[in-house]
Every structure is written in C-alpha cells, then in structure tokens.
Amino acid sequence: MPGGRAALPLGGGVIGVIATVLILLLGGGGYDVSSPFERFPAQPRPAGAGSTMDSAPDAQSELVDFVSFVIGDLQKFWAADFAKAGRQFQPTRLVLFRQAADTGCGTGSSQTGPFYCPLDRQIYVDLGFFRELANRFQAPGDFAQAYVLAHEYGHHVQTLTGVTEQVDSASRENPDQRNALSVRTELQADCLAGVWAHSTFERGLLEQGDLEEGLTAAASVGDDRIQAQTTGRISPETFTHGTAEQRARWFKQGFDAGDASGCNTFSGDI
C-alpha cells in the first residue's frame, strides 16, 4: 500500500458511502466521562530489558491488569462518543489466550497476533505478542501495547457503525480491490486508535514518551517493515495493512484531530 494511492474506483459510490458512515454516526468533541484512573499503570522496565513481559508471575499479572484497564478505558471512551451521537453502543469483550483460541471467525492463532472478530465482536490477545512487539518489532513500552489494543478496538467501532459490513460487501463486488480496501480499513482503525489516545492526553494520562511509543508501534507493524524483515523484499501489491509511514501518520492524524470525523481513509489519497 504505497502512499498517495488514489480513491478506489468502486461502482455506485461505495467508497463515498463508507467514508461518511463513521462521520455521521459518531459525535465529535472531547472525552467528558469521568475516569477513576489517574494514569496508566506503570510497567516494569529494567535497564537494558527489551520486553515489558517476562516469565515472572507478577509481571504476567501486571500485564493482564494493564490490558484489562486499557480495554475498559476504551469501552468508556467509545460508549461516551456514541452516546453523544444518540447511537446505540455495544461493548466488546477481551479474550486472553495462549497459542490458539476458538472464535466466531474460526480458530485464532498466536501466529497472527492480536485480532478482532467481527462475527462475535470480541478482541483476542495472546499476551506473548507483546514480547514479540518489544523484541522482534523493537516497539517496547506500555503505550505501544495500548496502541495495539486501541487499533483492535477501532475495528469494533467499524463493525458497530457499519463500515465493516460495507467494506466486506465492496470486497465481494470488487475482488481486485480487496487488498486496497483492507489497507484503508486498517488505516482507519489506526486513526481511531489515535482518537482515543488524544483523549488520554486530554485527561492527563500520557507520560513523556508515550506518544512516541505508540507511533513506533504503529510503524513497526507496517507491511513494508514486516515484509523486509521476513522475506527481504517489499511487494506493495500484496499490502493489506499499510506502510510503516502510513500507519504512524494515520495514528497521529487521529491523535491530532481528537475526533472520528478526522479518520476518513476511504476518500482521496492515503
């Protein structure tokens, strides 16, 4: 998914419809629901350590508490945003697993990393992925982990607003555009993650360096970075999530805008 891709030539103005769904359904403005949390729980970061998770039981417990906190905060934020727009909200459920899990979308594997299943509307996370994020992808830190969770929650927002259904329909009607549509969908989820991150800044939850951790994490899972690392070559025609530059840029776009209406990835260049 190289930068500067033009609007997709889908029949019946499908892209235009998708582009406006999120804007029409979600209210703008800042987060105004009180939160009992004063700051993100600190994760242990020993000097020279490349991971925020190790085999110690207390570290495992702290990580479980942290991801549960982040998901809970995401639930509160998006519930408030939907309420502003007078729209019905349905919370998701976080499922922690090891190696594999049965999901509404089939068997989930730790090989794929965290994922969202739109059929059962749940987020699945193998906590071992965060070790991979820190070590293999060189994106350590608690807010790097929070970015991953917020991105998956962005897919839940897309499901609730009808974006996911429209993208699936457009992909069936235009199979040659499936990858390009997937890229735009993933970048929108990155942007929605940034919208939530903006709310944490407004509430004084961000610490110095947190935003940079999120941006590093977004860039680290770009298609070009992963392909270069795993195959030694980059094939833009096979991209499904976006380049490192695009993923970081759209996360920052959501953070700067602080509003879902700034996450229109289905119109114009990306």
Side-chain angles (χ1 to χ4, degrees):
M1 180 188 61
R5 185 188 296 274
L8 302 179
L10 296 182
V14 174
I15 283 296
V17 174
I18 296 174
T20 58
V21 166
L22 199 67
I23 298 171
L24 292 175
L25 291 185
L26 297 184
Y31 181 92
D32 58 7
V33 174
S34 60
S35 170
F37 303 101
E38 295 183 358
R39 60 186 293 274
F40 280 178
Q43 292 292 290
R45 301 183 197 177
S51 174
T52 56
M53 173 184 173
D54 57 36
S55 59
D58 57 340
Q60 179 79 2
S61 177
E62 287 179 6
L63 185 55
V64 170
D65 289 345
F66 177 71
V67 298
S68 298
F69 160 74
V70 173
I71 290 294
D73 198 66
L74 284 158
Q75 307 266 44
K76 290 183 176 70
F77 170 72
W78 287 113
D81 215 43
F82 273 64
K84 291 174 194 173
R87 299 288 177 170
Q88 186 176 3
F89 175 80
Q90 177 187 345
T92 185
R93 179 169 172 258
L94 173 66
V95 178
L96 301 179
F97 70 97
R98 286 286 188 185
Q99 302 303 320
D102 292 328
T103 81
C105 299
T107 301
S109 169
S110 59
Q111 299 292 323
T112 62
F115 61 92
Y116 172 77
C117 173
L119 297 182
D120 62 22
R121 300 188 175 187
Q122 296 186 148
I123 295 172
Y124 294 85
V125 177
D126 182 331
L127 294 179
F129 171 78
F130 293 122
R131 184 184 295 110
E132 289 287 299
L133 184 66
N135 295 339
R136 176 184 173 190
F137 297 107
Q138 298 298 300
D142 53 4
F143 208 74
Q145 298 166 357
Y147 152 76
V148 171
L149 298 169
H151 170 90
E152 298 307 330
Y153 208 100
H155 289 313
H156 182 57
V157 173
Q158 290 171 323
T159 295
L160 295 180
T161 55
V163 171
T164 301
E165 183 179 359
Q166 291 190 61
V167 170
D168 287 346
S169 177
S171 295
R172 288 191 298 270
E173 295 174 5
N174 303 268
D176 60 323
Q177 297 294 329
R178 184 178 300 276
N179 281 3
L181 281 166
S182 175
V183 166
R184 290 178 182 267
T185 302
E186 296 295 336
L187 293 179
Q188 186 177 74
D190 283 333
C191 185
L192 295 175
V195 172
W196 167 78
H198 176 89
S199 82
T200 69
F201 170 76
E202 287 190 325
R203 289 176 283 145
L205 301 182
L206 287 188
E207 298 176 347
Q208 185 175 3
D210 278 348
L211 178 59
E212 288 71 21
E213 288 179 359
L215 291 169
T216 297
S220 73
V221 289
D223 285 323
D224 52 341
R225 292 263 184 100
I226 293 177
Q227 287 185 358
Q229 183 183 64
T230 58
T231 69
R233 60 179 183 151
I234 299 173
S235 303
E237 68 278 4
T238 66
F239 288 176
T240 57
H241 286 66
T243 66
E245 185 276 332
Q246 287 171 321
R247 299 203 66 173
R249 174 161 48 83
W250 277 101
F251 176 66
K252 185 62 161 51
Q253 164 68 18
F255 183 86
D256 290 342
D259 192 311
S261 64
C263 296
N264 185 349
T265 59
F266 289 96
S267 178
D269 295 341
I270 52 175

